[in-house]
Amino acid sequence: HGIQQLPMTPMLAEYIRTPEFVTQEWDQKLENVAPTVNSPWAGVLYSNLAIINPGDAYPKLRNVQMDDGQTRSYSLYLAATKPNFVRRGT
């Protein structure tokens, strides 16, 4: 599931990985997998979560490993600029 999330860009997040699809994918597959990932793929998975739940993704993105092609600041920016962003946790 992660490879289809690359590269995470606003265009991908807005027009290709629709909130409906991401919700289904997260609920059916990734919700239980993401917390167990201890590699740079975690950053990719939580960037995906930010499409539908940026408030929960944001604190995860502050701490998880990031893929070589993904910066932490860019990932946090993508989450924080979503219209439904409400910052939770630290």
Side-chain angles (χ1 to χ4, degrees), residues 12-89:
L12 181 73
E14 292 296 323
Y15 297 105
I16 297 171
R17 297 192 62 77
T18 64
E20 295 80 15
F21 175 78
V22 173
T23 298
Q24 291 174 358
E25 181 183 48
W26 187 262
D27 291 346
Q28 294 173 13
K29 300 284 183 189
L30 301 178
E31 183 176 26
N32 294 321
V33 172
T36 68
V37 176
N38 189 20
S39 74
W41 281 106
V44 174
L45 298 178
Y46 285 110
S47 289
N48 186 64
L49 176 62
I51 295 171
I52 58 170
N53 195 338
D56 285 348
Y58 189 90
K60 300 292 188 186
L61 289 167
R62 288 183 61 184
N63 297 305
V64 297
Q65 294 181 49
M66 292 286 149
D67 182 69
D68 289 346
Q70 173 185 11
T71 65
R72 188 172 314 282
S73 59
Y74 181 70
S75 300
L76 293 171
Y77 170 82
L78 286 177
T81 56
K82 298 300 280 180
N84 59 336
F85 175 72
V86 176
R87 190 171 176 179
R88 299 182 189 103

